[in-house]
Amino acid sequence: MFKFLKEKITNWTKKISKEKEPEKEEKKKVVIKQKEEKEPGFFKKITEKVGKIKVSEKEFEAYGEELKMLLLENNVAFEIADKIIESLKEEIIGKEFLKKEIEFEIKECLKRIIENILVEPFNIVEKIKEKNSDQPKEPYVILFAGINGTGKTTTIAKIANYLKNSGFSCVLAAADTFRAASIEQIKKHGERLKMQVIAQQYGADPAAVGFDAIQYARKNFVNVVLIDTAGRMHTSKNLIKEIEKISRVCKPDLKFFIGEAITGNDIVEQVKSFDWAINIDGIILTKADVDERGGTILSVGHVTKKPIIFLGTGQEYDKIEPFNKNKFLKELGL
Ligand SMILES: Nc1nc2c(ncn2[C@@H]2O[C@H](COP(=O)(O)OP(=O)(O)OP(=O)(O)O)[C@@H](O)[C@H]2O)c(=O)[nH]1
Ligand SMILES: [Mg+2]
């Protein structure tokens, strides 16, 4: 995962530190001077001087442009790439660095900047436990929304399995009543996971299906309701209105936006639309297993200030990982 961005960042920091090495001529001069003046401590003073370097604003312009290009090429949204460059500029221009440490220092700066850009994730198991203890008779309701084919239904099955392994009972709501075979698809997951699926006929009101599932959970003391919804383009006003209605009727405790890690810049517009319509609480990025770039992860949370909670890393039920900022930074080589 994220191989491209890691390679590019590593090469860039190496390059900036290499190009800032003092000229051979300058090194020679130091040796001559040291021979001329035998004063103790003088050589040390000189090496300390050439051992320290500064990056000027002019020099940074070129490096900054290059870094911006490589961020953009790797799916980082324009506004986020700009923010990274500006913050880096503030941190390194005019500051003295020890020559041998500049690569490390720049990496540390980048690490701090990216760490601040990523929103801290919350723990979903803790949230469910909290509600279960505050309102024992009420199920915890989670709504899944996103554009077509991003992996909503598969992610619901993975999360249902994850929650089952954490000791919770779950019911699935087949509230995608639009796409052909969607009800059969979620029923199959229900059979495999040995979980009840609440469904109506195709064309039924999805909000009513969600509501039925919540009623079922209340009657049967089920801990969690997971509501599947039809894929909808963020540009379709009617479909966005419909997801807003499902959310209003079902009053979910948690609303997830499901997007693909491989989407690129377009995901920024998608997540903004869904956030505007239903005020999402968190983001799940699927298909991270086939994402070599990693830039979507940087962009998607920052534009909404909502955290990424899980990464989907494959098609099987166990291929879901709680998102961890440090792990991501390590994968980028930072
Ligand atoms: N490689 C990989 N494939 C995934 C992942 N998550 C889902 N998929 C695949 O993506 C495809 C679409 O998944 P669905 O769960 O049907 O997507 P959806 O968003 O429910 O689709 P619609 O209901 O049609 O909008 C399937 O082939 C899944 O197996 C993932 O994390 N990694
Ligand atoms: Mg689906």
Side-chain angles (χ1 to χ4, degrees), residues 151-185:
K152 294 174 292 302
T153 310
T154 311
T155 303
I156 286 181
K158 288 178 185 177
I159 293 203
N161 183 52
Y162 174 82
L163 294 178
K164 188 176 161 189
N165 292 339
S166 307
F168 299 110
S169 52
C170 301
V171 59
L172 313 181
D176 176 357
T177 59
F178 177 73
R179 185 177 55 74
S182 62
I183 299 178
E184 286 75 13
Q185 184 190 5

Side-chain angles (χ1 to χ4, degrees), residues 66-78:
E66 202 177 307
L67 178 62
K68 189 156 143 187
M69 284 317 293
L70 75 87
L71 290 173
L72 294 176
E73 279 165 14
N74 284 283
N75 282 347
V76 177
F78 198 81

Side-chain angles (χ1 to χ4, degrees), residues 240-255:
I240 290 293
K241 236 185 197 168
E242 185 189 69
I243 192 79
E244 191 269 325
K245 181 186 168 193
I246 302 172
S247 180
R248 196 162 15 91
V249 172
C250 299
K251 300 183 180 57
D253 298 283
L254 199 57
K255 289 157 279 182

Side-chain angles (χ1 to χ4, degrees), residues 52-115:
K52 279 186 179 171
I53 46 174
K54 266 188 195 175
V55 181
S56 70
E57 185 154 5
K58 201 166 165 237
E59 283 166 323
F60 186 84
E61 291 298 316
Y63 297 127
E65 236 359 83
E66 202 177 307
L67 178 62
K68 189 156 143 187
M69 284 317 293
L70 75 87
L71 290 173
L72 294 176
E73 279 165 14
N74 284 283
N75 282 347
V76 177
F78 198 81
E79 58 194 278
I80 315 297
D82 258 353
K83 190 184 159 68
I84 292 174
I85 308 295
E86 278 311 304
S87 313
L88 196 61
K89 195 172 166 181
E90 267 172 37
E91 292 226 23
I92 70 172
I93 284 183
K95 220 182 191 179
E96 277 199 330
F97 294 102
L98 278 177
K99 179 173 64 72
K100 60 179 189 317
E101 284 175 4
I102 190 163
E103 186 182 340
F104 172 80
E105 293 276 357
I106 290 176
K107 273 196 169 179
E108 282 299 297
C109 286
L110 262 177
K111 186 178 167 184
R112 274 198 303 277
I113 293 164
I114 293 178
E115 216 168 1

